[in-house]
Amino acid sequence: MKIILFSQNKHKVKEIESIFSPSKEHYVRVYTEFIEPFCVVENGESFKDNAILKLRFLSQKLPKSLSKDFILMSEDSGICVQSLDNQPGIYSSRYANIDDFSDKESILKAKDSSDEANINKLINSLKNKGLESSKATFISCVAVLKNEQILTTHGFLNGKVVTNKSGESGFGYDPIFIPNGYSESLAVLGDVVKDTISHRFKALKLMKILLK
Ligand code: ITT
């Protein structure tokens, strides 16, 4: 299988490459190998909407000859924290730049924020409610365009977010997320464990089955 992946997030790209093709039997190439990088305004209402938006932009921007030879892929993901009304959800990458979750217009204008700022905002939001932890779920939606047909799959990872950071590995909210069945954060558990239990792993595993 030959895949062109849309993502600006180098951590995500690394995870998708190693999960999707651990022994390099398939071949995953990042879109910037073919065209200039471009941004997608992620204004969908769900992970699936946003994954499909990214896929459509990729398909429009790539030369048509490539779309014939390659399967196109995108992914949208985030974390839903139960005690915070399932925020930040689809807005996980811009969480620290959102002041008011009821103001949709300003949410759509907010830019992505750093992982550190997002984590600190989440920790403060929990502490402001007098909490040291909350149940939380990571969600990933993988979208693929193959032979002019769009396919999507989802993966979920349940656990809890805590107010103390630990570990260096991974990205995003990994230092404060402890998966169910474990006592350490994803950032302590490391790539080998994360890539066999993660939301992204589960969505990609289903996608591999659909693509067979
Ligand atoms: P692309 O859209 O270019 O792929 P992105 O980082 O903007 O990259 P998303 O819009 O899907 O991707 O936002 C995902 C955000 O959700 C990410 O920046 C993290 O804050 C969080 N997130 C998703 N998966 C995660 C994971 O495995 N570990 C930690 N945080 C994660």
Side-chain angles (χ1 to χ4, degrees):
M1 243 182 280
K2 286 162 54 180
I3 288 166
I4 299 179
L5 173 66
F6 171 83
S7 183
Q8 324 277 12
N9 181 327
K10 60 181 191 314
H11 301 282
K12 226 193 225 191
V13 169
K14 196 171 142 249
E15 286 186 15
I16 291 174
E17 280 172 344
S18 70
I19 294 168
F20 202 81
S21 191
S23 54
K24 308 271 177 246
E25 76 275 29
H26 306 304
Y27 149 129
V28 180
R29 295 177 68 175
V30 184
Y31 80 104
T32 47
E33 286 182 45
F34 304 96
I35 52 174
E36 289 296 308
F38 62 89
C39 287
V40 175
V41 181
E42 296 182 31
N43 56 7
E45 301 279 339
S46 64
F47 294 105
K48 182 174 166 179
D49 280 355
N50 284 336
I52 291 175
L53 263 174
K54 295 179 205 184
L55 197 60
R56 288 200 195 282
F57 267 91
L58 178 63
S59 144
Q60 280 162 17
K61 302 249 177 198
L62 277 177
K64 288 285 157 279
S65 52
L66 279 174
S67 312
K68 269 192 226 133
D69 292 342
F70 285 85
I71 294 169
L72 310 189
M73 179 183 281
S74 66
E75 193 254 16
D76 198 66
S77 47
I79 189 165
C80 300
V81 179
Q82 202 177 79
S83 306
L84 303 176
D85 296 328
N86 289 322
Q87 290 166 6
I90 57 171
Y91 306 119
S92 294
S93 57
R94 62 188 104 162
Y95 186 40
N97 287 330
I98 299 174
D99 294 324
D100 179 1
F101 263 84
S102 63
D103 180 357
K104 189 75 194 285
E105 242 179 72
S106 76
I107 292 182
L108 294 182
K109 281 190 204 139
K111 294 212 160 57
D112 284 358
S113 18
S114 69
D115 287 346
E116 194 188 359
N118 288 334
I119 287 181
N120 289 340
K121 169 142 181 174
L122 212 158
I123 290 174
N124 287 333
S125 303
L126 289 176
K127 284 187 174 166
N128 288 341
K129 286 185 168 270
L131 298 171
E132 284 181 1
S133 69
S134 167
K135 284 185 180 175
T137 302
F138 270 121
I139 300 177
S140 162
C141 176
V142 171
V144 146
L145 182 67
K146 186 187 178 190
N147 301 334
E148 296 183 17
Q149 199 193 359
I150 292 179
L151 306 169
T152 57
T153 56
H154 285 82
F156 302 83
L157 178 62
N158 292 318
K160 63 178 177 182
V161 282
V162 294
T163 52
N164 58 311
K165 305 175 203 177
S166 57
E168 301 292 328
S169 141
F171 71 101
Y173 299 88
D174 286 349
I176 57 167
F177 184 88
I178 302 179
N180 284 350
Y182 294 84
S183 51
E184 307 277 16
S185 77
L186 279 177
V188 172
L189 292 169
D191 295 346
V192 174
V193 174
K194 182 179 177 187
D195 290 350
T196 52
I197 61 170
S198 78
H199 45 310
R200 195 161 290 110
F201 164 74
K202 290 172 189 162
L204 287 166
K205 190 175 162 189
L206 289 175
M207 186 55 79
K208 265 192 205 172
I209 295 169
L210 288 189
L211 290 174
K212 262 185 191 154

